[in-house]
Amino acid sequence: MSHENFQECIDECLACLKACNYCFDSCLQEEDVKMMAECIRLDRECADICGYAADAMLRNSPFAIQICQLCAEICEACGTECKKHDHEHCQKCAEACFRCAEACRKMAA
Amino acid sequence: MSHENFQECIDECLACLKACNYCFDSCLQEEDVKMMAECIRLDRECADICGYAADAMLRNSPFAIQICQLCAEICEACGTECKKHDHEHCQKCAEACFRCAEACRKMAA
Amino acid sequence: MSHENFQECIDECLACLKACNYCFDSCLQEEDVKMMAECIRLDRECADICGYAADAMLRNSPFAIQICQLCAEICEACGTECKKHDHEHCQKCAEACFRCAEACRKMAA
Amino acid sequence: MSHENFQECIDECLACLKACNYCFDSCLQEEDVKMMAECIRLDRECADICGYAADAMLRNSPFAIQICQLCAEICEACGTECKKHDHEHCQKCAEACFRCAEACRKMAA
């Protein structure tokens, strides 16, 4: 991997962590929380792996590539769920998830 | 602190982590998810600090006492919220939270 | 996966987290810390993924299997490094790592 | 707290997480690792709390202030240790730690 991909991937993971946490918080304040249940669950999953992946890259982990592969998969799932909901926080979260998934795949390539 | 308090506290943190994660998952599957929103939020907060506190004690962190003080406070808040709900997972979670808060206070004393 | 494998895997992850944190702490107190550098690095990596994997299983994560596959790989690497050192904390850590790797592979099978 | 302090604090936590992880990795590659043992231990402690604090602020945690108070204390301790060592990674880490401690105290004020 190039150093550029590495830095881009860290930035996308942190942006995605932020978007997922914001979406988690916002979903819990929606009128119809039940409809957002899967979104809430996946936002937490995705925030956790993004934080873990960014941390791993920042400490030069020998497993950064495998961690990013897993991160791409979870981001993809979270983005796909968020994409279904019209709320702005969900749409923005989906976008951050797909960008992060893409950056993680580039890292792992 | 005595070695006994230390081991007891680790065990209570892990039991509380387990109860909070189970409660989080169960709340998201309830009929009325909206009513559980604050419970879901605090379950995640509490699971995070319990995992962090157990990890800190297990690595002999020089900050274990301060981390346990914070853990006690968050467990107390999560237990207080869970206690309000009649679901078995909430009542069991409240119990685990209060036990963990007590163990953390003993550690920090 | 069976419920039994699941519970066994959580227990092994927590035992491995404990052994890795103890080994990390002990390595830093050894006379020849330089010789332990790779062990220290991998103990941290392994403790992190074990905590993450246990947490994921405890919250019934839809990605538990993939996380356990990654955990098995990191445990294997940490165990292989620890195995090289005669210190009791390293030998015990290696044992915990290999047991955890085995339990994670069973989970993921 | 103002929104500005909040954003500044997140940024400083992430910068400190980065500096601590880089310092951890660099210390393990130094000629005299033994001399760096306490630095290695505190780098890990500090990276952990900084990641946890940033994550908590990003998810609008009701305990963000208490977590930042703890973060300030650990950053201060890590910065004080790093400051003793002439290596560039230690000096830069000390600087990041003190800046983060300051931002966390402002948040908690």
Side-chain angles (χ1 to χ4, degrees):
Chain A
M1 70 196 129
S2 73
H3 177 75
E4 227 166 82
N5 288 352
F6 195 78
Q7 189 52 57
E8 188 202 334
C9 193
I10 292 169
D11 291 342
E12 294 296 353
C13 282
L14 293 175
C16 190
L17 166 67
K18 194 170 176 169
C20 286
N21 275 336
Y22 183 75
C23 189
F24 177 90
D25 184 44
S26 304
C27 284
L28 287 173
Q29 298 177 49
E30 287 294 338
E31 265 316 294
D32 188 349
V33 188
K34 192 172 179 53
M35 203 179 66
M36 313 312 292
E38 204 52 24
C39 203
I40 292 167
R41 183 193 302 280
L42 288 170
D43 280 339
R44 183 185 175 194
E45 293 289 331
C46 196
D48 275 9
I49 188 72
C50 284
Y52 178 51
D55 198 19
M57 286 182 277
L58 286 168
R59 75 171 172 259
N60 201 20
S61 163
F63 307 103
I65 286 178
Q66 294 94 316
I67 293 168
C68 284
Q69 281 172 329
L70 178 58
C71 190
E73 186 179 348
I74 298 178
C75 285
E76 202 65 44
C78 186
T80 302
E81 175 61 30
C82 283
K83 190 76 191 159
K84 296 179 195 164
H85 304 282
D86 287 337
H87 309 294
E88 200 192 349
H89 55 82
C90 287
Q91 290 296 314
K92 285 203 172 168
C93 189
E95 208 180 302
C97 287
F98 292 140
R99 285 174 60 94
C100 188
E102 180 60 25
C104 284
R105 278 189 296 262
K106 260 205 263 178
M107 253 294 291
Chain B
M1 71 197 130
S2 73
H3 179 74
E4 226 166 83
N5 287 352
F6 196 76
Q7 188 53 53
E8 187 202 335
C9 193
I10 292 169
D11 291 342
E12 293 295 353
C13 281
L14 293 175
C16 190
L17 166 66
K18 193 170 176 169
C20 285
N21 275 335
Y22 183 75
C23 189
F24 177 89
D25 184 44
S26 304
C27 284
L28 287 173
Q29 298 177 49
E30 288 293 339
E31 266 314 295
D32 189 350
V33 187
K34 191 172 180 54
M35 203 179 68
M36 313 314 290
E38 204 52 23
C39 203
I40 292 167
R41 183 193 302 279
L42 287 170
D43 281 340
R44 183 185 174 192
E45 292 289 331
C46 197
D48 275 8
I49 188 71
C50 284
Y52 179 51
D55 198 20
M57 287 183 277
L58 286 168
R59 75 171 172 259
N60 201 20
S61 164
F63 307 103
I65 286 179
Q66 295 94 316
I67 293 169
C68 283
Q69 281 171 330
L70 178 58
C71 190
E73 185 179 349
I74 297 178
C75 285
E76 201 65 44
C78 186
T80 302
E81 175 61 29
C82 282
K83 190 79 191 157
K84 295 178 195 166
H85 304 281
D86 287 337
H87 310 295
E88 199 192 348
H89 55 83
C90 287
Q91 290 296 314
K92 286 205 170 165
C93 189
E95 208 181 302
C97 287
F98 292 139
R99 285 174 59 95
C100 187
E102 181 60 26
C104 284
R105 277 190 296 263
K106 260 205 263 178
M107 253 292 293
Chain C
M1 74 198 124
S2 74
H3 178 74
E4 225 165 84
N5 288 351
F6 196 75
Q7 189 52 55
E8 187 203 334
C9 193
I10 292 169
D11 291 343
E12 293 295 353
C13 281
L14 293 175
C16 190
L17 166 66
K18 194 171 177 170
C20 285
N21 274 335
Y22 183 74
C23 189
F24 177 89
D25 184 43
S26 303
C27 283
L28 286 173
Q29 297 177 48
E30 287 294 338
E31 266 315 295
D32 188 350
V33 187
K34 191 171 179 55
M35 202 178 68
M36 314 312 292
E38 204 51 25
C39 203
I40 292 166
R41 182 193 303 277
L42 288 170
D43 280 339
R44 183 185 174 191
E45 293 289 331
C46 196
D48 275 9
I49 188 71
C50 284
Y52 178 52
D55 198 20
M57 286 181 278
L58 286 168
R59 76 171 170 260
N60 201 19
S61 164
F63 307 102
I65 286 178
Q66 295 93 315
I67 293 169
C68 283
Q69 281 170 329
L70 178 57
C71 191
E73 185 179 349
I74 298 179
C75 285
E76 201 64 44
C78 186
T80 302
E81 175 60 29
C82 282
K83 191 78 190 156
K84 295 180 196 166
H85 303 282
D86 288 337
H87 309 295
E88 198 191 349
H89 54 82
C90 287
Q91 290 297 314
K92 285 201 171 167
C93 188
E95 209 181 302
C97 287
F98 292 139
R99 285 173 61 94
C100 187
E102 180 60 26
C104 284
R105 277 189 296 261
K106 261 206 262 176
M107 254 292 292
Chain D
M1 73 197 127
S2 74
H3 178 74
E4 226 166 83
N5 288 352
F6 195 76
Q7 189 52 57
E8 188 202 334
C9 194
I10 292 169
D11 291 342
E12 293 295 353
C13 282
L14 293 176
C16 190
L17 165 65
K18 193 171 176 169
C20 285
N21 274 335
Y22 183 74
C23 189
F24 176 89
D25 184 43
S26 303
C27 284
L28 286 173
Q29 298 178 47
E30 286 294 338
E31 266 314 294
D32 188 349
V33 187
K34 191 170 180 56
M35 203 178 67
M36 313 313 292
E38 204 53 24
C39 203
I40 292 167
R41 182 193 304 278
L42 288 170
D43 280 339
R44 184 186 174 191
E45 293 289 332
C46 196
D48 275 9
I49 188 72
C50 284
Y52 178 52
D55 198 20
M57 287 182 277
L58 286 168
R59 76 172 172 258
N60 201 19
S61 164
F63 307 102
I65 286 177
Q66 294 94 315
I67 293 169
C68 283
Q69 281 171 330
L70 178 58
C71 190
E73 185 180 347
I74 297 179
C75 285
E76 201 65 43
C78 186
T80 302
E81 175 60 29
C82 282
K83 190 78 190 159
K84 295 179 195 165
H85 304 282
D86 288 337
H87 308 296
E88 200 192 346
H89 55 82
C90 287
Q91 290 297 313
K92 286 202 170 166
C93 188
E95 210 181 302
C97 287
F98 292 138
R99 284 174 61 97
C100 187
E102 181 60 25
C104 284
R105 278 188 297 262
K106 262 205 262 177
M107 254 292 292

